[in-house]
């Protein structure tokens, strides 16, 4: 777990931002962009009042319903993501077509 106090996006902040989509179709999911690759969100783990998003290219992506449920249950938790064994803070996202990109 990162040392010190991180000021990152909270689950409630992300939930509020994505509940009312700005597109007419449902979001395809949350993805981590690494260069020209989009890695799907495949798990959300809980650790010390943090929700840790895990992105794995070879696993089944979480549905948006699963994401909404986890965010609602843990609204006050801070958001981090795990990539190549390192925890990184989530400060925001952007939308690309019907994908939410970290």
């Amino acid at each position: 777990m990162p040392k010190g106090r991180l000021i990152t996006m909270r689950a409630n902040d992300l939930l509020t931002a994505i509940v009312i989509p700005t597109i007419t179709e449902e979001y395809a999911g949350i993805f981590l962009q690494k260069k020209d690759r989009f890695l799907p969100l495949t798990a959300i783990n809980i650790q010390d009042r943090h929700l840790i998003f895990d992105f794995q290219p070879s696993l089944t992506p979480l549905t948006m319903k699963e994401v909404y449920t986890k965010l609602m249950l843990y609204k006050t938790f801070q958001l981090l993501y795990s990539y190549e064994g390192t925890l990184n803070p989530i400060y925001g996202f952007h939308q690309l077509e019907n994908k939410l990109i970290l």
Side-chain angles (χ1 to χ4, degrees):
M1 189 57 48
K3 302 255 188 238
R5 183 169 170 83
L6 293 176
I7 305 299
T8 61
M9 181 176 260
R10 291 180 307 131
N12 193 50
D13 299 331
L14 180 58
L15 181 64
T16 299
I18 65 175
V19 163
I20 302 172
T22 58
I23 57 173
T24 56
E25 57 192 80
E26 185 175 325
Y27 290 120
I30 297 177
F31 297 83
L32 180 65
Q33 184 173 5
K34 289 297 177 183
K35 297 186 181 178
D36 61 346
R37 294 181 57 207
F38 293 97
L39 306 172
L41 175 62
T42 56
I44 301 175
N45 301 303
I46 302 163
Q47 186 178 40
D48 300 327
R49 299 201 49 84
H50 291 93
L51 290 182
I52 302 170
F53 287 19
D54 192 26
F55 298 88
Q56 299 292 327
S58 60
L59 299 177
T60 303
L62 290 179
T63 65
M64 285 307 292
K65 182 178 179 180
E66 292 170 303
V67 173
Y68 292 141
T69 300
K70 192 71 83 163
L71 293 173
M72 282 191 283
L73 289 172
Y74 301 96
K75 288 181 182 181
T76 61
F77 284 31
Q78 300 291 315
L79 301 179
L80 302 172
Y81 72 91
S82 176
Y83 182 70
E84 295 183 341
T86 303
L87 289 178
N88 303 284
I90 296 174
Y91 296 112
F93 67 94
H94 69 276
Q95 182 178 321
L96 179 62
E97 298 169 354
N98 66 337
K99 295 178 178 140
L100 299 171
I101 312 296
L102 300 182

